[in-house]
Amino acid sequence: MKIFLDTANLDELKKAASWGIVDGVTTNPSLIAKEGIKIEEQVARICDIIDGDISAEVVATEAKAMIVEGTALAKIHKNIVVKLPLTRDGIQAAAEFSKEGIRTNVTLCFSPAQALLAAKAGAYIISPFVGRLEDIAQLGMELIESICTIYGNYGYTTQVLAASLRSPLHVAQAAEIGADIGTMPFKTLDMMFNHPLTDKGLETFLKDYAKAFAEKK
Ligand code: E4P
């Protein structure tokens, strides 16, 4: 499974990039707003840090305006994927972009039927939100499973990006189901490293080694 970071923060991206395991980045208008820098400028900076798909979301709500905005975003860098909301206008824009060979990430997907529409429109990525479904007491992973089954049934090439992943368990479950991509905040990625037995084991290894050689002196 490809690992994407769900952030527009450059320090977080640089730190994660140094670990050599980040395949791409997703942003959304809220994440861009948090950094206080216009999307065009911020995604260009992100493209300089991570060499992979970088999703940049439109804020227009009508198909025509989404196409104008998305076309401009796609021109910023070859790795930009135009992110569109799963609305009638968003799907219409995705179908247009698909004809033009511009890659799209259809976001805010909360049902298998919505995901089917995105695949029909030729989306490059579909983003079902796990965490936000769980916030309203629905099973987020069941959505990932249904979409993977539907896409598999018909050979749709739209990649399933498990979004709104909030814990290492979410990431592992998405990978087990077979999601193509998992996107997560820096905090979740950082937590994936942690295991008390790793810390304890390393401490013992280092102590044993130091003791053995200290004794021989
Ligand atoms: C995906 O592209 C979204 O930006 C993101 O995963 C939303 O996550 P949240 O529900 O934790 O805000």
Side-chain angles (χ1 to χ4, degrees):
M1 185 173 76
K2 284 184 259 181
I3 289 186
F4 282 15
L5 262 196
D6 194 34
T7 183
N9 182 278
L10 303 185
D11 292 334
E12 289 182 348
L13 288 167
K14 282 178 196 159
K15 177 97 187 145
S18 73
W19 296 331
I21 40 89
V22 177
D23 301 299
V25 179
T26 49
T27 65
N28 62 42
S30 305
L31 292 171
I32 294 285
K34 225 165 111 184
E35 302 309 313
I37 295 164
K38 285 263 166 121
I39 183 160
E40 298 81 0
E41 203 179 316
Q42 195 67 356
V43 293
R45 290 178 185 179
I46 294 172
C47 289
D48 286 340
I49 299 169
I50 304 281
D51 184 21
D53 291 339
I54 314 294
S55 288
E57 189 162 346
V58 302
V59 289
T61 54
E62 285 171 12
K64 268 191 184 162
M66 284 176 173
I67 291 167
V68 171
E69 203 183 322
T71 303
L73 289 171
K75 281 184 185 149
I76 295 172
H77 193 281
K78 64 174 175 42
N79 288 346
I80 296 285
V81 176
V82 178
K83 207 172 175 193
L84 302 159
L86 210 155
T87 57
R88 288 169 182 78
D89 286 81
I91 290 296
Q92 189 184 333
E96 285 297 324
F97 279 130
S98 167
K99 277 189 224 152
E100 290 168 27
I102 291 179
R103 299 173 312 152
T104 57
N105 172 354
V106 176
T107 189
L108 291 168
C109 171
F110 295 95
S111 81
Q114 288 181 317
L116 181 57
L117 295 175
K120 297 285 293 178
Y124 173 66
I125 289 173
I126 180 69
S127 289
F129 281 35
V130 172
R132 291 193 193 187
L133 273 177
E134 294 186 355
D135 290 345
I136 58 159
Q138 290 190 17
L139 297 171
M141 285 302 159
E142 281 189 359
L143 174 60
I144 304 297
E145 213 160 353
S146 300
I147 298 172
C148 288
T149 302
I150 291 169
Y151 284 9
N153 285 347
Y154 299 99
Y156 288 122
T157 55
T158 303
Q159 296 177 75
V160 180
L161 182 156
S164 190
L165 299 180
R166 297 183 183 158
S167 67
L169 184 62
H170 272 164
V171 180
Q173 286 172 329
E176 203 174 336
I177 291 166
D180 300 288
I181 309 161
T183 194
M184 65 210 72
F186 178 84
K187 191 179 157 211
T188 302
L189 179 64
D190 193 47
M191 284 193 295
M192 285 172 71
F193 287 92
N194 300 340
H195 199 288
L197 291 180
T198 304
D199 298 339
K200 197 176 164 212
L202 182 61
E203 198 186 321
T204 308
F205 287 161
L206 297 180
K207 251 190 215 159
D208 290 346
Y209 189 87
K211 201 173 150 202
F213 290 101
E215 277 164 6
K216 278 186 183 147
K217 267 185 193 172

